[in-house]
Amino acid sequence: MRSTHTEGAREAMPAAMINPNPEAQWLLAQARNAAFAEASHGRLGQGMALLAGALEQEPLSHELLSDMAALLLSAGELAHAVRYAREALVITPHHGASLYTLGFALAGLGEEAEALRVLTQLLTGQGLISLEREAPELLGLVRVELARLQSRANEASGASAAG
């Protein structure tokens, strides 16, 4: 897995790396599509390898980082999914798909308070607009998970108040 940090790297990158030309964008889209095609055929490792190769070419692509996070989430690699989603969010703070992956991975790791915060953020403002634009079919899942996390938080606060 990659171990680079994007926080300071963005300022050091030339504008062409941050905003690739149309041909580079097309190549990135091809890599993303191929990665998800591999994953849809049960070859998650192959999909992740394709994304890793593309990330070597475009390390500051929030789409590639988010896609890697999504594949890692589906593979059950929750801690790695969190890391990639956070890297994507450093570049594009309100990216709906990255917030989705981060929230679900955190919930899977048992970090329910943070997952609740992330999923609440996702259903407001720019996060919601982004998710509605890119993956509106995920909104129902977010609402169900958010309700589950809120219920658990209410139960926990009720139990601590009773104790």
Side-chain angles (χ1 to χ4, degrees), residues 9-19 60:
R10 188 159 209 219
E11 293 78 25
M13 299 300 283
M17 293 292 289
I18 296 170
N19 299 310
L60 297 178

Side-chain angles (χ1 to χ4, degrees), residues 11-83:
E11 293 78 25
M13 299 300 283
M17 293 292 289
I18 296 170
N19 299 310
N21 65 39
E23 182 179 334
Q25 289 176 335
W26 182 83
L27 290 171
L28 288 176
Q30 292 297 103
R32 294 175 70 208
N33 291 338
F36 278 100
E38 290 294 327
S40 73
H41 289 93
R43 298 184 293 264
L44 282 172
Q46 223 15 49
M48 286 187 271
L50 287 167
L51 289 176
L55 277 165
E56 287 180 14
Q57 300 301 311
E58 289 293 336
L60 297 178
S61 168
H62 78 274
E63 291 101 345
L64 289 173
L65 291 163
S66 182
D67 289 350
M68 182 66 91
L71 289 184
L72 288 162
L73 176 66
S74 67
E77 296 289 337
L78 303 180
H80 292 301
V82 165
R83 190 185 72 202

Side-chain angles (χ1 to χ4, degrees), residues 107-119:
L109 289 169
E111 297 179 32
E112 293 181 352
E114 189 175 358
L116 184 59
R117 182 192 60 75
V118 169
L119 293 178

Side-chain angles (χ1 to χ4, degrees), residues 88-102:
L89 290 165
V90 165
I91 297 165
T92 306
H94 302 287
H95 185 238
S98 297
L99 288 166
Y100 173 92
T101 300
L102 179 59

Side-chain angles (χ1 to χ4, degrees), residues 89 92-97 99 121-122 126-128 130-131:
L89 290 165
T92 306
H94 302 287
H95 185 238
L99 288 166
Q121 177 187 350
L122 175 57
Q126 294 299 313
L128 178 60
S130 173
L131 191 64

